[in-house]
């Protein structure tokens, strides 16, 4: 079993936080403050997300493609902030470039938090590529912060990510 901890996340895991920031920036504008509620629907096609497989003894890459669907509901809390509910649904498949082992990724993730000027929200997100050939699956975990600065502008920084083997 191998594990790698680093600071450079894979593209599919940063799509959701970046899309979230764009949605929050739009929804926290004064014009939307009165009409906040949602839903905001975002569907992204993931044409190619090449991931290094940590579960093999030889270097191996898995090319993953699919869709990422994100739904946001944002409502005013009556105190100048917002309550955010987010549902993320990702469906993808991939194949090892070295061994031809096929993998499936299917996950739904729900979260909610309070967003207001000066607030920070920390989130951990896990993904699992499930082997279709009895070989080990591999997991990826990313932790990031979403910060709303004093001007009400959302920003984010990915703190760490980790890949490891599972069963």
């Amino acid at each position: 079993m191998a594990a790698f901890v680093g600071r450079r996340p894979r593209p599919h895991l940063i799509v959701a936080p970046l899309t979230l920031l764009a949605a929050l920036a739009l929804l926290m504008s004064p014009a939307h403050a009165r009409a906040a509620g949602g839903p905001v629907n975002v569907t992204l096609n993931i044409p190619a997300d090449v991931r290094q497989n940590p579960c093999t003894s030889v270097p191996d890459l898995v090319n993953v493609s699919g869709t990422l669907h994100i739904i946001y509901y944002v409502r005013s809390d009556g105190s100048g902030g917002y309550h955010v509910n987010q549902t993320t649904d990702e469906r993808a498949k991939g194949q090892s470039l070295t061994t031809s082992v096929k993998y499936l990724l299917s996950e739904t993730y729900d979260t909610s938090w309070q967003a207001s000027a000066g607030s920070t929200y920390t989130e951990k997100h896990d993904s699992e590529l499930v082997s279709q050939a009895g070989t080990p699956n591999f997991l990826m975990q990313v932790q990031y912060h979403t910060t709303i600065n004093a001007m009400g502008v959302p920003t984010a920084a990915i703190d760490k990510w980790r890949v490891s083997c599972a069963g």
Side-chain angles (χ1 to χ4, degrees), residues 42-83:
V42 179
T43 300
L44 303 165
N45 289 319
I46 304 166
D49 179 5
V50 179
R51 304 175 193 199
Q52 185 173 358
N53 186 346
C55 301
T56 58
S57 59
V58 296
D60 183 25
L61 300 174
V62 177
N63 186 17
V64 179
S65 62
T67 59
L68 180 64
H69 183 220
I70 306 167
I71 302 172
Y72 302 104
Y73 290 93
V74 180
R75 67 181 184 277
S76 173
D77 65 5
S79 301
Y82 297 90
H83 187 78

Side-chain angles (χ1 to χ4, degrees), residues 62-121:
V62 177
N63 186 17
V64 179
S65 62
T67 59
L68 180 64
H69 183 220
I70 306 167
I71 302 172
Y72 302 104
Y73 290 93
V74 180
R75 67 181 184 277
S76 173
D77 65 5
S79 301
Y82 297 90
H83 187 78
V84 181
N85 292 318
Q86 173 187 343
T87 298
T88 304
D89 182 43
E90 185 173 11
R91 306 283 177 221
K93 60 184 177 179
Q95 185 170 352
S96 165
L97 300 177
T98 304
T99 66
S100 298
V101 171
K102 294 182 180 181
Y103 294 88
L104 291 178
L105 173 68
S106 177
E107 65 182 25
T108 301
Y109 182 72
D110 295 309
T111 187
S112 63
W113 68 94
Q114 191 65 27
S116 59
S119 68
T120 298
Y121 173 72

